[in-house]
Amino acid sequence: GGRIVTPNVDICRAVARDSTLRELVCSAEIVVADGMPLVWAARLLGRPVPERVTGADLLWSLSGLAARRGWPVYLLGGPPGAAAGAARTLSRRFPGLRVCGVSAPPYGFDATAEGRARVRREVVAARPRIVFVGLGFPRQDRLADELREDLPDAWFLGCGAAISFAAGTLPRAPEWMRWAGLEWAFRLACEPRRLTRRYLANDLPFAARLLTTALATRVAAAR
């Protein structure tokens, strides 16, 4: 068991400012790059990662693995109805998939010990082997870290909007946009009120600094 974290530019910007969040990411058993700027920066540094690996893609690949192995999965998060919708979609795609539970707790449930304890009891009672936690960073990762104590043999994937994507309640960018590093632009067009400040005012400048620093580091090392 363990935690899987998929940092994108927004997560990297957060951990650059907060050592507690940095430890939350770095203590995960598996960390993969979700975001083409991270893939590009790794290449510029001369330490390339194999490819971009997103939580939205891992939701599907790990569900397929779970169906083949007979592992029960749990879907936690998303707006009302999304987890149940995702469960139906995944079960149609992977016959034999055992969805042992779904839950869409109200926003802010994790602000109190009682709210977190209630959700933890529900997940633990279902005894999943894989838990998809779609609450956004860092809430999903903090909850997964707590649940690790209760379910040490289970795997936890913080998957952001992946549950909504699978349910069809939120559209996902075409594949060519994902691999061109333009998925953020598609999501911005879909949710401008929620994402404009995050993407344009915060993430784009951070990504530019990240790539510039990676290039400068590579040039300096080559001298």
Side-chain angles (χ1 to χ4, degrees):
R3 287 189 299 118
I4 305 171
V5 181
T6 63
N8 55 20
V9 168
D10 196 61
I11 292 176
C12 287
R13 183 177 62 84
V15 303
R17 304 192 315 265
D18 189 323
S19 60
T20 302
L21 296 182
R22 188 181 310 126
E23 174 59 25
L24 184 64
V25 170
C26 292
S27 62
E29 281 70 20
I30 297 177
V31 181
V32 292
D34 177 351
M36 287 307 296
L38 307 185
V39 176
W40 297 332
R43 291 173 184 168
L44 287 172
L45 284 171
R47 293 181 289 175
V49 295
E51 61 181 330
R52 181 188 184 209
V53 182
T54 73
D57 293 325
L58 285 172
L59 176 72
W60 292 91
S61 60
L62 292 179
S63 292
L65 175 66
R68 294 191 299 272
R69 300 276 181 92
W71 294 346
V73 304
Y74 195 105
L75 292 110
L76 172 62
R88 290 191 294 270
T89 301
L90 292 167
S91 296
R92 286 195 298 267
R93 175 73 174 273
F94 304 110
L97 178 66
R98 295 170 53 199
V99 179
C100 62
V102 300
S103 177
Y107 185 82
F109 78 94
D110 50 343
T112 65
E114 293 81 6
R116 292 194 304 275
R118 182 175 62 254
V119 170
R120 287 176 70 172
R121 286 195 299 269
E122 292 173 357
V123 177
V124 171
R127 308 303 300 177
R129 284 294 306 276
I130 300 178
V131 184
F132 300 111
V133 193
L135 300 173
F137 181 85
R139 295 172 59 227
Q140 61 193 17
D141 304 277
R142 286 173 172 155
L143 182 60
D145 194 42
E146 292 181 11
L147 283 165
R148 280 278 287 136
E149 301 174 6
D150 304 314
L151 297 167
D153 294 329
W155 280 97
F156 297 86
L157 171 67
C159 60
I163 291 175
S164 294
F165 291 151
T169 58
L170 188 65
R172 193 176 181 203
E175 189 169 350
W176 71 267
M177 294 188 76
R178 302 176 208 168
W179 294 108
L182 294 173
E183 187 164 11
W184 67 271
F186 183 89
R187 292 202 61 193
L188 178 60
C190 293
E191 300 181 88
R193 294 185 64 181
R194 187 173 75 88
L195 297 176
T196 294
R197 179 174 178 80
R198 180 197 299 183
Y199 284 175
L200 299 184
N202 297 328
D203 290 354
L204 272 181
F206 181 86
R209 290 194 301 272
L210 175 70
L211 293 169
T212 301
T213 301
L215 178 59
T217 303
R218 180 69 178 273
V219 170
R223 289 177 178 173

